[in-house]
Amino acid sequence: ETVKKLVSLLDSQKISVIGILENMKMDNSKEIQKSTETLHLKYLGRIPYDRTVEAALSKVDKLQKTTFAGKVQEISRKI
């Protein structure tokens, strides 16, 4: 329902949606993915919650080695 409302809001503002990305995902639910398919949008993927990001924010080398960075790279290839 949240995805549907957000997409509707963006559509009313004439903002294009290139896909849906789940950020800070903490479970294996497929609810957002199913909602995305129902709306005929591209599901880009999920970025799981990564506890190591905060400590790596000021350290580029460490940040690039986080799960977060890996997922961002993976998803950016889909766009």
Side-chain angles (χ1 to χ4, degrees), residues 9-63:
L9 173 68
L10 293 171
D11 189 46
S12 73
Q13 298 297 312
K14 301 200 183 333
I15 297 171
S16 298
V17 177
I18 60 171
I20 302 296
L21 167 68
E22 292 185 86
N23 189 27
M24 297 180 66
K25 181 106 170 128
M26 296 182 75
D27 61 28
N28 291 323
S29 169
K30 301 246 184 208
E31 185 178 331
I32 301 298
Q33 189 172 356
K34 289 177 184 174
S35 294
T36 302
E37 291 167 3
T38 301
L39 295 168
H40 306 289
L41 293 170
K42 185 174 185 177
Y43 180 77
L44 298 173
R46 66 181 186 89
I47 299 176
Y49 177 73
D50 185 347
R51 293 188 172 130
T52 65
V53 170
E54 189 173 352
L57 285 177
S58 62
K59 301 166 189 83
V60 176
D61 292 341
K62 272 190 170 184
L63 185 59

